[in-house]
Amino acid sequence: MATTNNLQVPVVEDGIRYWNEQPASVDGVLGGYGTGSLPRIDALGSRLFLLHLYPELCTVSSALKPLEAHPVSNPIRALDVGAGVGRVTSDVLLHLVDTVCLLEPVTPFIQEALQNARKSAAANSSTQINGRHPIHWPGLAEQTKSVTFLQGTLQAFDPAHPIVSNDSSSSIAFIDRIGSHPDPEDPMTDIDSGFDVVWCQWCLGHLNDIDLVAFLQRSYVALRNHGADGHNGNSLIVVKENTCSDAEDGGLRTVFDEQDSSFTRSDMAWKAAFREAGLRLVKEQVQEGLPDGLYVVKMYALK
Ligand SMILES: C[S@@+](CC[C@H](N)C(=O)[O-])C[C@H]1O[C@@H](n2cnc3c(N)ncnc32)[C@H](O)[C@@H]1O
């Protein structure tokens, strides 16, 4: 049941308890919308949104790719937070970037993601069905790309320094790295090297306003390329989230959902948080084509 109640705020443990009871599958993380058109439409919309902002990521000649694209020298790194079973990593990010760090707190979800990445990395022609592998995480079998699996919450996570200490006292646990290894002796060799893209989808509602602003600020610090003037680099944060309507008086609105202990924010509420975090909104877009009856889903690109 969704209620508007300014006194209720997300509780980390309640949110994690809810997700632990959901099936560890795409259908589970998408609340029963995993078998229809939603995952494909969502992933295509996300890829196009990112390519418009970051045309250098385009691997084929197209209208999106600049004629004189700056060559990308370093491997492009993305962060996928509240990643569930790795849907965004496998269907969006690995199609465009070289290496992904995936953060997810719920054990069955991160284990499902890890098993799928391992199966995809081990895939060969004998595991193909109709010329395709049933599970495909681009670049892992070829060892040209990598995914690093980290377990923990957004509240405890600092993208600039994902693992604060190497012992078990760290609140973020390194689980594994699948695919390419720049240094086979040390799978975490590039862990502190920042990100070109920070992708946050359908998970920031689990943060209260203070934690949301703090997480966005930490993410900004971890961006690799801010540009010479601090504004024009191509690194960016993408927030793709549900939005409820603004208040009738035109002000911002936040709706608390008791079921999963999360907030749904209105467009103005999201923008207030971005402003508070000192971020600049460079592009916003509604995800078209989703089934009727859902909240309006918006993509925001922030620098
Ligand atoms: C609706 S699912 C979205 C999963 C994924 N982003 C996607 O689009 O497929 C919400 C995810 O947020 C995660 N989550 C819940 N509380 C969290 C927290 N405090 N920190 C990080 N992730 C959290 C859940 O475990 C779940 O995987």
Side-chain angles (χ1 to χ4, degrees):
M1 184 187 68
T3 51
T4 305
N5 185 338
N6 291 334
L7 298 176
Q8 288 182 281
V9 291
V11 174
V12 180
E13 294 74 21
D14 292 351
I16 289 177
R17 192 174 312 120
Y18 169 82
W19 286 110
N20 256 303
E21 289 163 0
Q22 305 310 307
S25 63
V26 169
D27 207 37
V29 295
L30 294 181
Y33 283 92
T35 55
S37 59
L38 185 146
R40 179 179 284 260
I41 289 171
D42 169 63
L44 288 176
S46 297
R47 282 194 227 169
L48 283 173
F49 185 74
L50 189 50
L51 278 173
H52 268 286
L53 289 150
Y54 208 148
E56 292 85 352
L57 298 182
C58 194
T59 50
V60 292
S61 295
S62 80
L64 292 175
K65 186 163 183 139
L67 287 175
E68 291 182 29
H70 298 297
V72 177
S73 46
N74 290 324
I76 301 287
R77 299 185 81 229
L79 172 66
D80 177 10
V81 296
V85 295
R87 190 185 66 86
V88 173
T89 291
S90 62
D91 295 353
V92 178
L93 298 173
L94 281 178
H95 289 264
L96 302 174
V97 308
D98 304 297
T99 174
V100 179
C101 267
L102 179 160
L103 176 80
E104 168 57 40
V106 170
T107 302
F109 287 0
I110 195 164
Q111 285 301 326
E112 173 70 11
L114 181 60
Q115 296 319 320
N116 284 334
R118 284 187 177 142
K119 282 183 202 157
S120 193
N124 55 44
S125 52
S126 70
T127 55
Q128 287 183 357
I129 298 173
N130 296 331
R132 277 185 62 94
H133 294 288
I135 297 168
H136 185 53
W137 290 48
L140 297 192
E142 300 80 7
Q143 296 264 325
T144 53
K145 304 196 176 201
S146 77
V147 181
T148 298
F149 293 81
L150 304 174
Q151 186 167 7
T153 64
L154 284 155
Q155 287 85 346
F157 187 66
D158 180 354
H161 304 290
I163 306 284
V164 182
S165 72
N166 266 339
D167 60 33
S168 57
S169 67
S170 171
S171 47
I172 304 294
F174 169 81
I175 306 292
D176 205 351
R177 178 184 184 130
I178 308 293
S180 61
H181 283 64
D183 177 358
E185 301 289 305
D186 179 8
M188 289 199 279
T189 185
D190 53 355
I191 196 93
D192 285 344
S193 62
F195 295 99
D196 302 286
V197 178
V198 175
W199 195 278
C200 316
Q201 181 158 1
W202 283 326
C203 62
L204 295 184
H206 287 288
L207 301 183
N208 64 35
D209 289 346
I210 290 172
D211 289 344
L212 172 64
V213 169
F215 175 73
L216 291 171
Q217 287 173 332
R218 292 196 298 275
S219 296
Y220 177 78
V221 170
L223 292 182
R224 286 166 130 185
N225 180 1
H226 295 290
D229 62 356
H231 290 297
N232 286 324
N234 42 16
S235 297
L236 75 162
I237 301 167
V238 176
V239 170
K240 187 166 187 177
E241 290 285 349
N242 292 340
T243 59
C244 60
S245 55
D246 286 315
E248 279 178 11
D249 66 2
L252 57 81
R253 193 163 77 100
T254 299
V255 175
F256 182 74
D257 187 333
E258 287 176 357
Q259 196 182 33
D260 66 355
S261 192
S262 73
F263 275 156
T264 303
R265 296 179 164 90
S266 70
D267 185 56
M268 282 192 64
W270 283 113
K271 287 173 179 167
F274 303 152
R275 257 195 320 276
E276 181 82 15
L279 297 173
R280 187 166 58 95
L281 180 61
V282 292
K283 185 174 168 73
E284 58 185 297
Q285 191 178 319
V286 170
Q287 173 65 62
E288 303 288 358
L290 298 182
D292 290 341
L294 297 179
Y295 280 119
V296 173
V297 175
K298 279 197 80 172
M299 294 177 271
Y300 302 97
L302 305 156
K303 294 196 176 187

